[in-house]
Amino acid sequence: MAAWAGVAGAAVIIAAMVLLLVTVGAGASRLWVLVFAWPAVLFLYDARRRFTALRRLKRTWAVKGVSPVAMRLSPEGLRCTIDAAPAPVVLPWSAIAQVRVTGQDLSAVRVDLVPGVSATTPGVGGLDQPEARTRMRRTWKGRTRLRFAIYAVREPLSDIDQALGHFSNGRVGVR
């Protein structure tokens, strides 16, 4: 988003510069062009830098096998993609007690499971993978938590909370 905002800002500055040159006339000082050109150049340079960083990140994720989609919600349940795991973790809504999302750029998602839910529970899939087991913790209350990272939350938390409530019939939400 920031890269595209930089391109849009540079376009507005360039359009204003052209409009000023047309209004003042061809006899205008070249100094006006330089005064208005340098912010546009800075915006375009920053946008180019951000696009390059984004391409580099996408290449890194492709090489390491990081899924572009960390979790999916459906009427059947929650599907989480854990880095380096061969298959996603599938949890039906009846197995989920609550969901927490913390952080900004690198967010952590914590899914609290209903007591007694394990890899052998009907409808649950992928919890038996070693990569998923390393991300599961037991609390002192006896609950099991599955924790995984999301590198960029694309949707606002209010939308995620609304989707969780919709698909789980109001039982699960973001805390």
Side-chain angles (χ1 to χ4, degrees), residues 53-140:
L54 186 61
R55 278 193 301 274
R56 188 179 308 121
L57 183 64
K58 284 183 178 181
R59 278 196 308 266
T60 303
W61 286 1
V63 167
K64 292 188 177 193
V66 176
S67 175
V69 178
M71 70 179 184
R72 290 191 187 274
L73 307 175
S74 69
E76 290 79 34
L78 176 69
R79 180 179 175 167
C80 312
T81 303
I82 295 176
D83 296 344
V89 174
V90 179
L91 300 168
W93 293 116
S94 59
I96 300 171
Q98 70 181 8
V99 176
R100 286 187 189 251
V101 180
T102 58
Q104 294 293 327
D105 295 334
L106 178 64
S107 299
V109 177
R110 187 181 84 193
V111 179
D112 291 348
L113 303 177
V114 172
V117 171
S118 67
T120 58
T121 303
V124 173
L127 284 181
D128 55 345
Q129 302 174 82
E131 295 84 1
R133 283 196 309 263
T134 60
R135 289 180 171 79
M136 291 178 66
R137 299 282 183 264
R138 265 214 192 277
T139 66
W140 62 276

